[in-house]
Amino acid sequence: MTAKPAAAAPASSRFYALASRVEAATTAAELGFAICNDTRLLVDYRQAALVVMGSAPRPSRLVAHSGLADVDPNTPYALWLSGVTKAIAARCAELPANARVLPLSPDLLDEELATAWSEWFPAQVWVLPLMGPDKTVAALLFLGRDEPWPTTLTSDGEEFALLHMAGLYGYAWWSLVARPSRVQRWWRAATSGRRLRYIAVGLLVVLLLPVREYTLVPAEIISLHSQVIASPREGVIRRMVILPNAAVKAGQVLAELDDTTLRNKLAVAQAELATANVEMHQAAQQAIESQNAKADLGMAEGKLHEREVDVASLQREVEKLEIRAPVDGVFVYSDPDDWAGRPVQTGERIGLLADPHTLGVRAWAPVGEPTNLEGGAPMTVFLKTAPLSPIGARLDYAGYQSVESPTGVASYVLRGTVDGDASAARIGLQGTARVSGRWSVLGYLLLRRPLATVRAWCGV
């Protein structure tokens, strides 16, 4: 239901009543409805239309109309209003501040729009630009009626109050619809005049800052001097004597192979040796008494020597059942339970005997990393156990042939030497290594991946 002007009430009271309704609007739809219908508290009119100013590529559109709760911006009437708004937009922006109203007539429109005037508008139409604090026209309010609008405005007249209310409408509409966000306000301030030039110069200076190329790769601490501990013979691991990563001395037993079969063979060979020794003594006694027994003595001596060789050979094999450390170091291998009862072949690797005093770094650089991996490049290792205590290192070499890293990525193997404080490092610890490359500028460091992708895609 539309409001009707109360002729008995003074214009000031009606003005404040309308202002309170505008203030109570919380959405653009509520505000548009109040503007088009409740403005009758100030002046009488036959129809009112609120059209939002458009900007490319979005044209002007009808958003509210008197007597309607909802409008369709695609009706012929709405499209005609959009064309009228476009035709008079420049005139509305040039109106003086003390009389911001445009008496609209068909003479201000082109022939096509003027022809349809009688179909959509009454004879007398005022256009009130709704302008916000940014001094831009956000919308146009069309008020049409059959009675002529006054040509002069007095301070106590209803039409004069209407002009002030149009200013209030403009601020309210700007606050609900056209008010820019904080990001938009910051961008407008940043891109205005001299400030934009300062930002451009500052950005250029930042992009030209000298920085060193680097790449982050997974890494682990290793020993530069290590020996492979392999199985000396074929057999089955009975038990691992030394726990993983334990310090050992030279000659200390590291692991034991199962000795059941071999010791049984040794027992049989020793029994045969004892028998051969008895037969040798008997043959020697008989050779003293009979010349014919001397031939049997030679055969007994050969058989005895053969049994002695068998026993010595088996004894050497039994000694190999205990795998011992050749030098001092740290025995590095996997879980002992994984090795107990496992069959091994001669020369099969069981673990590493590493020197804990010569530490190095082994890393895997993915093939896609563009950093130049040159010998002598500085490295910084951040261990997972001590991320706040980086370790300095130096890159010794990078492999030319790619291999599969523990994470399943095709990578180049990197090896380096720890040359910093290695008190927090021990063999087997893992982390991330930063490998530094050549000096460049920050802009190239930020854009090198996009440039490489574009070049691979377009071939330029």
Side-chain angles (χ1 to χ4, degrees):
M1 185 174 180
T2 58
K4 295 182 180 180
S12 60
S13 63
R14 285 179 281 152
F15 179 89
Y16 291 119
L18 179 56
S20 63
R21 297 186 184 184
V22 173
E23 184 181 3
T26 58
T27 63
E30 293 179 3
L31 179 59
F33 184 87
I35 291 175
C36 291
N37 294 279
D38 295 341
T39 307
R40 284 195 173 92
L41 291 173
L42 292 181
V43 294
D44 190 22
Y45 51 86
R46 193 175 80 180
Q47 68 186 73
L50 182 64
V51 181
V52 175
M53 300 294 292
S55 58
R58 193 173 184 179
S60 304
R61 67 188 187 282
L62 177 67
V63 294
H65 198 279
S66 57
L68 297 177
D70 191 15
V71 295
D72 183 2
N74 297 318
T75 60
Y77 172 58
L79 296 177
W80 182 79
L81 272 179
S82 177
V84 173
T85 301
K86 183 178 180 181
I88 64 175
R91 290 178 178 270
C92 293
E94 297 172 355
L95 293 174
N98 57 354
R100 202 172 296 278
V101 60
L102 175 67
L104 185 61
S105 63
D107 299 336
L108 301 179
L109 308 177
D110 56 28
E111 182 179 357
E112 182 179 358
L113 295 175
T115 303
W117 177 284
S118 59
E119 183 179 356
W120 305 118
F121 266 174
Q124 307 294 327
V125 177
W126 263 11
V127 180
L128 302 175
L130 305 187
M131 184 178 294
D134 55 356
K135 305 304 179 182
T136 58
V137 179
L140 297 181
L141 175 60
F142 293 85
L143 296 178
R145 66 183 186 183
D146 297 323
E147 298 81 10
W149 294 95
T151 56
T152 58
L153 301 178
T154 59
S155 59
D156 57 349
E158 297 173 344
E159 289 77 8
F160 186 81
L162 176 62
L163 296 185
H164 286 277
M165 183 55 64
L168 180 61
Y169 288 161
Y171 273 78
W173 187 263
W174 174 85
S175 178
L176 289 178
V177 179
R179 184 177 185 177
S181 62
R182 290 184 178 181
V183 176
Q184 291 174 328
R185 292 196 300 270
W186 176 86
W187 177 253
R188 289 177 183 176
T191 55
S192 60
R194 182 179 300 176
R195 187 172 297 179
L196 177 61
R197 292 193 296 270
Y198 289 159
I199 291 178
V201 172
L203 181 60
L204 182 61
V205 171
V206 170
L207 292 179
L208 293 178
L209 288 177
V211 294
R212 196 163 191 172
E213 299 179 12
Y214 71 91
T215 182
L216 299 177
V217 296
E220 67 174 350
I221 301 298
I222 61 172
S223 174
L224 297 179
H225 298 149
S226 59
Q227 298 184 29
V228 175
I229 302 300
S231 175
R233 68 183 307 275
E234 183 179 354
V236 176
I237 299 292
R238 185 174 68 178
R239 70 187 183 100
M240 303 296 291
V241 180
I242 302 300
L243 294 176
N245 298 334
V248 298
K249 297 294 184 179
Q252 189 173 351
V253 178
L254 303 177
E256 295 179 351
L257 298 176
D258 184 69
D259 60 351
T260 304
T261 302
L262 195 58
R263 290 192 181 278
N264 290 337
K265 291 181 179 181
L266 178 60
V268 172
Q270 288 175 341
E272 291 178 349
L273 175 61
T275 301
N277 195 17
V278 172
E279 292 177 351
M280 172 65 184
H281 285 293
Q282 292 177 353
Q285 292 294 332
Q286 292 176 1
I288 296 174
E289 299 175 357
S290 174
Q291 292 293 329
N292 294 331
K294 290 183 178 181
D296 296 334
L297 177 61
M299 294 180 61
E301 289 179 349
K303 187 175 182 179
L304 177 61
H305 182 68
E306 181 181 353
R307 294 294 177 263
E308 289 175 347
V309 171
D310 291 342
V311 170
S313 176
L314 289 174
Q315 287 177 342
R316 288 193 298 269
E317 292 295 325
V318 169
E319 292 176 355
K320 293 180 181 179
L321 294 176
E322 293 181 342
I323 305 175
R324 299 179 179 273
V327 294
D328 297 348
V330 174
F331 188 35
V332 181
Y333 71 100
S334 59
D335 188 2
D337 295 336
D338 294 340
W339 285 97
R342 178 189 293 185
V344 292
Q345 301 294 326
T346 303
E348 182 175 348
R349 174 174 170 171
I350 298 176
L352 282 177
L353 189 61
D355 182 3
H357 303 294
T358 57
L359 298 181
V361 180
R362 178 171 58 194
W364 294 268
V367 175
E369 286 293 339
T371 302
N372 297 309
L373 303 174
E374 299 178 349
M379 301 176 65
T380 305
V381 183
F382 301 91
L383 298 177
K384 295 180 180 179
T385 57
L388 300 181
S389 301
I391 299 174
R394 181 184 68 259
L395 180 64
D396 294 333
Y397 74 91
Y400 287 95
Q401 185 175 2
S402 62
V403 297
E404 184 177 354
S405 68
T407 58
V409 180
S411 308
Y412 298 114
V413 178
L414 311 180
R415 284 187 179 271
T417 302
V418 174
D419 56 6
D421 183 12
S423 58
R426 66 172 177 82
I427 298 173
L429 291 182
Q430 297 184 349
T432 301
R434 183 180 66 188
V435 184
S436 301
R438 300 173 180 174
W439 285 95
S440 182
V441 294
L442 180 60
Y444 172 74
L445 187 64
L446 296 175
L447 299 176
R448 62 180 183 180
R449 287 183 181 274
L451 290 175
T453 302
V454 171
R455 186 168 186 176
W457 177 70
C458 64
V460 177

